[in-house]
Amino acid sequence: MPANDLRLLIIQPTHYKAPTDRTLFKTKRRQMVPLALPYLAALTPPEWKVTLLDEQLEDIDFDAPVDVVALTAWTLHSYRAYDIAKEFRKRGVKVIMGGPHVYFNAEEAAEHVDAVGVGEAEPIWKEMLDDAAANRLKSIYRATPLKELNGLPAPRYDLLDLKKFGPFRTFAVQSSRGCPFVCDFCSERFYLGGRYRWRPVDEMVNELKLIKNRGSHFFFGESNFGGKKSRAMELMEGLVPLGIRWSTLWSSNLCLDKEFLDLARKSGVMHVNIGIESIDKDILDGMRKGWNKASRYHEMFENLRQRDISYSLNFIFGFDDEDHDIYRATISFLEEHKVPAAYFNILTPTKGTALFNRMEKAGRIINAPEIDRWPGQICQIWPKDCSPREMEARIQWMYKKFYSMRSIFKRLPFPPRTRSDMSSWILDLTERRMAFSSTGNNDFDIY
């Protein structure tokens, strides 16, 4: 390929609706401006002309004049990504692929594309593009995790058509990677580089300043915003003068830290998602989440409510030692404490986790290659006290019960009086639509 005429198309694939319905999931507008596409563009050497495409919003022109197509995909998007690759390769276009899916499925993905990049993009992205231009692509490139996150480029949001993301768009940004905790069921810490690392505060603040005029709401898309409290406090101090609104995920123990919450409120936090997983202490101990103090959940909620911080909770169901009444008990607990929003998930053994290894050894995984391939709450294990279909029915019941109008009016102030109230109402009504849809898939775009 001529060095001065290199054309790169970076695609974030959509997904198929169901195993029996290969219709593409499409939407006219997103609320969340994605990070992967513009960040990969920022890493791309200047000799490449880059085009970005989010397939949920746009259709793909397979006859477009491009030299290389790059796909970034979660496992949910993998089947669609493979089909996209097939179409471009039939036309003689080189296809490379990365993202969380290939971390545990590199060999599978390599059967469908010309090259896969495993791990963080920074160490291997330029090498892959150089090799593609010189017609010497290797099948698999494996990145050595970055020791630090200093000097990362600002995402190329200028290459996106921001009109497709609505007037109240939220920009996904990232101030840290990895997680200091080791949860029994979580694989994120592997493909996010393992060790918990964070970006320098001044670099993060300067990046937010660059995109502040495009939108004042940001989502820190990382495993644990407060993974190192002192660094998170320093970052929030830097956010105060910006006057922005932001959302994120952090661990439950921080909701007991009033100093942390006061600064979060001062810096503009609007919503936080918290993985409390269960209201049962024994279940929490079994999943190695002893820092989740079930006896102090009420105190956590009150601390957030007093500071007008909207929040949502993540739960996981399907553990062997669960009491059969845990589903109704959880709904009662949430309504009693007027929890604004919650997500109910089925225990899913993803590759690389201790949970997967145990379940596989015990012969309790139904179909390992299909895990996370499809939207919705799908039971991929043989539960101890019910069938997989019964487990799915229980979770569907929880969503419909929790997001019924009766429950919403019971939990949320009406009329909404504060910024947090309004955020909670918007979130609940959005989740209600999905709770009563055919898939019931979680949608974190609302953050």
Side-chain angles (χ1 to χ4, degrees), residues 265-444:
R265 168 63 178 168
K266 184 179 179 182
S267 67
V269 70
M270 177 177 287
H271 183 93
V272 60
N273 178 253
I274 309 159
I276 69 168
E277 321 308 358
S278 179
I279 61 173
D280 187 311
K281 178 184 180 301
D282 293 335
I283 296 295
L284 292 171
D285 290 342
M287 68 174 77
R288 298 179 63 182
K289 293 204 71 164
W291 61 88
N292 278 5
K293 307 297 183 184
S295 62
R296 302 188 70 182
Y297 283 167
H298 177 71
E299 182 182 349
M300 287 168 40
F301 305 154
E302 281 303 306
N303 286 343
L304 293 166
R305 189 172 293 114
Q306 289 170 9
R307 291 161 180 80
D308 193 34
I309 299 175
S310 172
Y311 65 95
S312 56
L313 307 178
N314 287 338
F315 289 88
I316 300 177
F317 298 92
F319 290 94
D320 288 350
D321 296 331
E322 281 179 352
D323 186 284
H324 183 73
D325 192 48
I326 190 68
Y327 308 94
R328 291 187 181 277
T330 299
I331 294 295
S332 297
F333 171 88
L334 295 174
E335 292 185 344
E336 176 187 351
H337 293 284
K338 299 186 182 300
V339 170
Y343 301 103
F344 312 111
N345 305 285
I346 298 174
L347 181 67
T348 301
T350 54
K351 283 187 177 181
T353 63
L355 174 66
F356 180 91
N357 295 335
R358 286 201 313 274
M359 288 284 186
E360 185 177 47
K361 185 176 181 179
R364 295 183 59 188
I365 297 178
I366 297 173
N367 188 349
E370 287 295 287
I371 291 175
D372 289 336
R373 301 278 190 176
W374 307 102
Q377 291 295 334
I378 301 173
C379 185
Q380 299 286 1
I381 64 173
W382 296 104
K384 186 176 181 179
D385 72 333
C386 68
S387 72
R389 302 292 82 81
E390 287 172 330
M391 176 60 68
E392 293 171 3
R394 291 174 182 179
I395 298 302
Q396 291 169 3
W397 174 84
M398 293 187 76
Y399 269 107
K400 291 181 179 180
K401 189 76 172 177
F402 185 75
Y403 288 108
S404 67
M405 292 308 300
R406 183 204 64 80
S407 178
I408 291 174
F409 274 102
K410 184 175 183 178
R411 293 180 288 104
L412 303 185
F414 184 80
R417 299 182 296 272
T418 67
R419 176 167 51 87
S420 174
D421 292 347
M422 184 59 68
S423 175
S424 297
W425 269 97
I426 294 172
L427 180 54
D428 269 43
L429 292 176
T430 299
E431 289 303 314
R432 174 179 165 79
R433 287 196 296 272
M434 284 195 291
F436 289 87
S437 72
S438 59
T439 63
N441 190 34
N442 293 343
D443 179 7
F444 290 90

